Amino acid sequence: MHRPATPLNKQDAVTSPDNRVEQHKFVRKIVSLIVVAGAVLITLYVWGIIERHPRTDDATARANVVGIAPRVGGQILKLNVQDNQAVKEGDVLFEIDPEDYRLVLEKAKAELAALDRQIEQARSTLQRLEPLLPKHFTTAENVDEARTKVTTLEAQREGVVATINLEELHLSYCKVIASFSGRVINLNISAGAHVTAGVPVFSLLDTSKWYVIANFREAEVRHMAPGSEAIVYLSSAPNQRFRGKVQGIGWAVKPEGEIDLPPSGVPYVKRELNWVRVAQRFPVRIEIENPDQNLFRMGASAVAIIKGPPRK
């Protein structure tokens, strides 16, 4: 006997294979839409952060470098420093043989002593002749000659005194002293070498003040101003962050192919691509507030992030 089929109830209809497949497809679509929407939101959020807080890895640590040039020429008698050595303000870096300048100074002093004797004699002669003029025991011409001689010798004395002062300065310049604390760099000379006045012998790196030159695209410059807070990371210490402030934004860079500007007149920032038109970058100087003297080195790679315009 044929038994009639039992009708499916509501629960069986929901849990049928076709319905389960459709349900899974719907869930996957919802998840996909959530993932895409989340990715878009995250992208917009990150873009907003980058737009408001521009960053660049085209940055280098800098410090001021001064060429140490003697003010007098001569042979180096004593070299007191080595390359990369740390020195303090007032330390004697090297000494130039002072003998030539000492002899010139002694000669000038001897000339001064001789002039003083001549001036004393000339004044004595003038004092002897002046009382004789009213009594007609001498002529006015003789008195004028005596006065002229005194005046001439006194003028010569002033010149010799100036020479003595100058030679004393030259003698003091034989000791070249560090005008600030820093590190000796590019030292390639030894004692016995001859140096020329005004020609640098080596350089001194001023380690008391560090800054970072960061190149930002021209569209990003509007999000910063002098005084803006910045964060700097060194490539040698990526986990250590340094605070800084924007000191200034470059107002000029050398355009590609420009030949009218002087070679050292404006900075040159090389573009990343030569065959595609890319945004020009401008150098931004960031003064570091808490530099680590053991980490900061001239030319070290860095990453700079601008936190926004300064607070008003």
Side-chain angles (χ1 to χ4, degrees):
M1 181 182 212
H2 181 68
R3 185 177 296 176
T6 305
L8 293 174
N9 56 27
K10 220 180 259 188
Q11 184 176 359
D12 293 336
V14 171
T15 57
S16 64
D18 293 339
N19 289 340
R20 285 199 299 269
V21 171
E22 293 296 329
Q23 191 177 30
H24 289 163
K25 288 181 178 180
F26 178 76
V27 171
R28 285 199 297 270
K29 288 180 180 179
I30 294 298
V31 172
S32 299
L33 289 174
I34 293 174
V35 171
V36 172
V40 171
L41 290 175
I42 292 174
T43 301
L44 291 175
Y45 177 73
V46 172
W47 179 83
I49 292 177
I50 295 175
E51 183 71 13
R52 294 191 306 271
H53 307 294
R55 61 178 293 158
T56 180
D57 58 0
D58 185 10
T60 54
R62 300 282 187 90
N64 295 328
V65 179
V66 176
I68 302 301
R71 302 180 70 171
V72 294
Q75 189 178 33
I76 294 180
L77 198 62
K78 188 176 181 182
L79 186 62
N80 300 324
V81 294
Q82 297 177 349
D83 197 20
N84 301 313
Q85 177 181 335
V87 297
K88 295 181 179 180
E89 180 180 355
D91 287 352
V92 179
L93 303 176
F94 60 92
E95 300 178 28
I96 297 172
D97 188 357
E99 193 61 29
D100 294 342
Y101 301 100
R102 186 178 291 113
L103 290 174
V104 174
L105 178 60
E106 291 178 358
K107 180 182 178 182
K109 288 182 177 180
E111 291 178 2
L112 179 62
L115 274 174
D116 285 339
R117 289 192 296 269
Q118 293 178 26
I119 290 173
E120 185 178 357
Q121 293 175 359
R123 287 175 178 172
S124 177
T125 301
L126 179 60
Q127 291 173 358
R128 180 173 54 82
L129 290 177
E130 284 179 336
L132 299 178
L133 183 59
K135 300 177 182 179
H136 303 286
F137 291 129
T138 187
T139 63
E141 184 179 353
N142 291 336
V143 175
D144 289 340
E145 288 180 358
R147 287 175 181 168
T148 302
K149 186 174 182 179
V150 171
T151 303
T152 302
L153 290 174
E154 287 177 346
Q156 292 178 3
R157 187 183 190 279
E158 291 179 359
V160 174
V161 169
T163 300
I164 290 175
N165 293 335
L166 181 61
E167 294 306 325
E168 286 177 344
L169 274 178
H170 287 166
L171 191 59
S172 67
Y173 293 156
C174 289
K175 288 186 177 181
V176 180
I177 298 174
S179 55
F180 55 86
S181 300
R183 283 192 177 272
V184 176
I185 58 176
N186 198 30
L187 174 60
N188 300 297
I189 201 169
S190 301
H194 187 278
V195 295
T196 304
V199 178
V201 178
F202 53 84
S203 298
L204 194 60
L205 181 70
D206 186 359
T207 56
S208 64
K209 192 172 185 179
W210 288 92
Y211 58 94
V212 166
I213 297 295
N215 298 317
F216 285 93
R217 291 191 299 272
E218 50 193 323
E220 298 172 332
V221 172
R222 68 176 184 272
H223 298 291
M224 61 190 78
S228 296
E229 294 184 7
I231 300 173
V232 171
Y233 297 91
L234 293 177
S235 297
S236 59
N239 296 325
Q240 190 167 350
R241 102 186 219 175
F242 301 95
R243 301 185 311 273
K245 282 190 177 181
V246 174
Q247 184 272 330
I249 303 171
W251 282 94
V253 294
K254 188 176 182 181
E256 295 285 347
E258 181 64 55
I259 60 175
D260 294 337
L261 296 173
S264 59
V266 294
Y268 172 69
V269 179
K270 186 177 180 180
R271 297 199 174 189
E272 296 175 352
L273 300 173
N274 292 328
W275 62 91
V276 178
R277 183 68 177 177
V278 296
Q280 180 63 59
R281 290 171 296 158
F282 286 86
V284 176
R285 176 166 171 153
I286 301 172
E287 303 284 353
I288 305 300
E289 298 178 352
N290 59 332
D292 189 328
Q293 300 296 338
N294 295 322
L295 294 177
F296 272 80
R297 296 175 183 270
M298 178 76 170
S301 300
V303 175
I305 304 172
I306 305 298
K307 297 182 68 176
R311 296 178 181 178
K312 296 182 179 179

